[in-house]
Amino acid sequence: MRRHACLCLLALAACRPSAHPARRTAAHPADSAPLSSLWHAPRDSIHDRLLRAPRLVTEPSVIVFWLRTGDSLSPDSAIAVSRDLDFYTEQVAQTLARNDIALVPTNADTVYVEQPDHTRRAIVLSGLNYPYGYLLIDPGTPERILTGVYDDDALLDELDAYFDLSDERDSTRAAPRVIT
């Protein structure tokens, strides 16, 4: 079964230049191709191998992961989960872009985070209760792993709590009306 997950908007978000070049997530050549072709790439293709290569994260990032063990789902389940993961990720992609938070896909079991002292810390994603989800990373702080599919409201709540997006979310709401 071919990989099912993520969306084309991830490619746009992952490819966008960072406002802080020194804090960019390490790029892979696969970052410039549309993700729909990457997630559904034939096994052992160059894109498949690039997505399986461990990522090095150097900037605030949301890693969308779909591990090889996700391929053990029934085809119908995998397609449904993939569509949900894609849809809800698409709903938060603009919020991440506005806040200079990279959106990065991976099939790798391990993600490395570059610490402020330039050491690297490994985060292992295998063995979680679901083989797909989100990894929230702000180098120098503890990561947060969200396994499974989160709807856009729940995902925004998690992103707000982790990356402190409350100012942006509050600015989009209407001002409260005072009734006397």
Side-chain angles (χ1 to χ4, degrees):
M1 183 173 125
R2 294 191 172 148
R3 295 207 171 35
H4 293 87
C6 264
L7 50 118
C8 291
L9 284 179
L10 284 176
L12 296 173
C15 295
R16 70 174 170 73
S18 173
H20 308 285
R23 295 176 50 196
R24 293 186 69 162
T25 300
H28 288 285
D31 288 342
S32 61
L35 275 185
S36 59
S37 67
L38 298 178
W39 288 108
H40 303 289
R43 286 200 191 279
D44 298 324
S45 71
I46 183 116
H47 298 303
D48 180 56
R49 285 180 291 209
L50 290 170
L51 280 174
R52 284 185 286 152
R55 295 294 190 143
L56 172 62
V57 177
T58 60
E59 67 179 333
S61 302
V62 173
I63 308 294
V64 180
F65 64 92
W66 183 276
L67 305 180
R68 280 189 97 105
T69 54
D71 288 349
S72 64
L73 297 171
S74 73
D76 291 340
S77 293
I79 290 169
V81 167
S82 172
R83 285 182 183 154
D84 288 347
L85 194 64
D86 290 351
F87 177 78
Y88 294 124
T89 302
E90 181 180 335
Q91 303 309 305
V92 302
Q94 288 184 354
T95 299
L96 295 174
R98 278 193 304 270
N99 287 281
D100 291 324
I101 299 169
L103 186 54
V104 182
T106 192
N107 295 128
D109 290 343
T110 306
V111 174
Y112 293 94
V113 180
E114 186 167 325
Q115 300 299 300
D117 64 357
H118 301 290
T119 59
R120 293 181 180 171
R121 184 171 56 83
I123 301 170
V124 179
L125 299 172
S126 58
L128 301 172
N129 56 345
Y130 292 101
Y132 48 86
Y134 302 92
L135 172 60
L136 313 181
I137 301 174
D138 192 359
T141 65
E143 71 281 352
R144 176 133 171 86
I145 300 173
L146 308 173
T147 60
V149 176
Y150 282 62
D151 68 29
D152 52 337
D153 288 333
L155 187 53
L156 278 172
D157 287 344
E158 293 290 344
L159 294 170
D160 182 24
Y162 186 80
F163 292 109
D164 192 25
L165 305 178
S166 57
D167 291 339
E168 176 184 312
R169 290 186 74 191
D170 291 341
S171 68
T172 61
R173 294 184 183 148
R177 292 180 17 188
V178 178
I179 301 174
T180 57

